[in-house]
């Protein structure tokens, strides 16, 4: 099943403004005659109105999950065409919303519209379809998890982040190996691919609570602004982007404000601003102080993953202690938990 949500892959330039605007999926097919030669049966589900990925939201994630859940038994795998700007957020969200996924869900797109001469869309789409249809001799799928395929790399969805706004090499997973690399052949790295419980059903989850905020530390950050943010009405979770291995300014006012928030039940996750490497809160005193006021380590999670995981947990339960416990454990391969010294 090919699910077309929109994105650059199906866009063309507006004649008046020159800006890229979404087109009907039939245009994409017309630009790609080799699509008919794919040796796999393909059905298409198109969103009624193609979505610019900047407009992606939890309601649209729910729609995607409803489509997959409703057709799950009829297809060997699913390919989702999606804009690149929020693709990593969607991939992370789907990884939590599709519990015990036993079939491939591959997100892909392109940096150039598929009608352009130098487009990367053809290879991305065709290889994604091949990966979604691939299986072991016993019939089990090669990659039974949510992933992103882009520019020769198959990546775990909840480990991915967009790294380039104009190059074809748009995504990577800095803290996790590739699930496969595609060149002349597709080389699957089976040791890194999730193995679900094939004897149990996939369980879809539809509720996502977006009462979450991303908060980035920077030199000169002001107390009044931080306190105002921490008292935002309805706020349930914060992804706090810290320095290095999880450090923050050792200002008493900051630690006091964070402690007050965690004691009110706000779940605060410590994510490093660095592209690669984990949070290790016991390494330096700044991180240790955060730990003491109730801030949780995000380990090596991406911001996209931490946001989606909080939304998923807030949408499915109300016990803050249980949510805090699950944020520090891997649900579907999204983090590598390393026990830190006391």
């Amino acid at each position: 099943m090919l699910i077309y949500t929109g994105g650059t892959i199906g866009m063309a330039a507006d004649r008046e403004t020159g800006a890229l605007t979404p087109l009907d999926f039939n245009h994409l097919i017309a630009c790609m005659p080799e699509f008919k030669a794919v040796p796999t049966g393909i059905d298409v589900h198109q969103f009624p109105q193609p979505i610019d990925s900047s407009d992606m939201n939890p309601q649209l994630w729910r729609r995607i999950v409803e489509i997959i859940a409703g057709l799950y038994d009829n297809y060997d795998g699913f390919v989702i065409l999606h804009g690149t700007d929020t693709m990593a957020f969607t991939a992370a969200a789907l990884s939590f919303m599709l519990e015990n996924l036993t079939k491939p869900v591959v997100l892909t797109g392109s940096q150039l519209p598929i009608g352009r001469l130098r487009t990367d869309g053809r290879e991305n789409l065709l290889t994604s379809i091949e990966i979604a249809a691939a299986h072991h001799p016993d019939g089990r799928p090669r990659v039974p998890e949510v992933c992103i395929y882009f520019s020769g790399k198959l990546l775990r969805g909840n480990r991915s982040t967009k790294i380039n706004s104009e190059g074809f090499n748009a995504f990577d997973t800095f803290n996790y190996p590739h699930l496969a690399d595609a060149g002349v052949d597709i080389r699957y790295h089976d040791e890194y691919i999730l193995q679900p419980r094939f004897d149990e059903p996939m369980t879809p989850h539809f509720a996502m609570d977006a009462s979450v905020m991303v908060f980035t530390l920077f030199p000169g950050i002001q107390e009044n602004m931080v306190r105002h943010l921490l008292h935002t009405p309805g706020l349930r979770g914060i992804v706090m982007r810290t320095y290095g291995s999880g450090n923050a300014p050792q200002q008493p006012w900051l630690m006091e404000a964070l402690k007050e928030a965690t004691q009110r039940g706000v779940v605060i996750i410590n994510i490093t601003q660095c592209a690669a490497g984990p949070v290790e809160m016991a390494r330096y005193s700044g991180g240790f102080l955060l730990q003491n006021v109730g801030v949780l380590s995000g380990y090596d999670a991406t911001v996209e993953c931490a946001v989606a995981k909080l939304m998923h947990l807030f949408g499915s339960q109300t016990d803050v202690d249980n949510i805090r416990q699950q944020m520090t454990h891997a649900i579907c391969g999204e983090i590598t938990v390393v026990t830190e010294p006391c």
Side-chain angles (χ1 to χ4, degrees), residues 225-232 235 238 257-258 261 264 266 268:
M225 296 181 181
V226 172
R227 290 190 179 276
H228 182 75
L229 180 150
L230 293 175
H231 284 86
T232 300
L235 179 65
I238 293 175
L258 293 173
R264 291 197 312 271
V266 178
I268 305 178

Side-chain angles (χ1 to χ4, degrees), residues 34-216:
E34 59 266 54
F35 191 82
K36 299 176 182 178
V38 175
T40 298
I42 301 171
D43 290 334
V44 175
H45 183 100
Q46 178 177 345
F47 273 29
Q49 294 294 326
I51 305 298
D52 184 310
S53 72
S54 297
D55 293 322
M56 190 55 64
N57 58 56
Q59 289 70 40
L60 295 173
W61 293 338
R62 178 189 176 110
R63 186 189 301 179
I64 295 171
V65 171
E66 288 173 342
I67 295 167
I68 293 173
L71 300 171
Y72 194 72
D73 294 335
N74 300 337
Y75 296 91
D76 295 320
F78 299 82
V79 173
I80 301 172
L81 295 181
H82 194 290
T84 59
D85 286 346
T86 58
M87 186 183 292
F89 283 98
T90 297
L94 295 181
S95 74
F96 299 115
M97 299 173 80
L98 298 168
E99 181 183 348
N100 195 45
L101 182 66
T102 57
K103 298 182 179 182
V105 173
V106 185
L107 286 87
T108 194
S110 65
Q111 295 285 64
L112 284 175
I114 206 162
R116 294 278 185 89
L117 181 64
R118 295 179 51 252
T119 183
D120 54 330
R122 288 185 175 86
E123 192 276 327
N124 285 346
L125 175 53
L126 292 171
T127 304
S128 294
I129 291 171
E130 183 173 349
I131 290 169
H135 54 79
H136 292 286
D138 64 0
R140 291 187 176 185
R142 293 298 303 260
V143 191
E145 59 175 287
V146 177
C147 26
I148 289 176
Y149 178 78
F150 228 89
S151 189
K153 298 181 292 189
L154 184 67
L155 312 170
R156 176 164 295 167
N158 56 34
R159 295 278 194 155
S160 303
T161 194
K162 187 174 180 180
I163 62 170
N164 197 321
S165 64
E166 63 176 1
F168 291 152
N169 184 29
F171 291 88
D172 211 339
T173 49
F174 291 107
N175 291 322
Y176 199 76
H178 300 168
L179 304 183
D181 291 289
V184 174
D185 298 308
I186 300 176
R187 293 183 291 108
Y188 294 95
H189 308 304
D190 293 330
E191 65 272 28
Y192 302 126
I193 297 173
L194 283 176
Q195 294 304 311
R197 302 177 299 277
F198 286 100
D199 58 339
E200 298 182 15
M202 186 276 290
T203 302
H205 298 275
F206 303 106
M208 298 286 276
D209 185 338
S211 304
V212 176
M213 190 174 294
V214 178
F215 162 38
T216 301

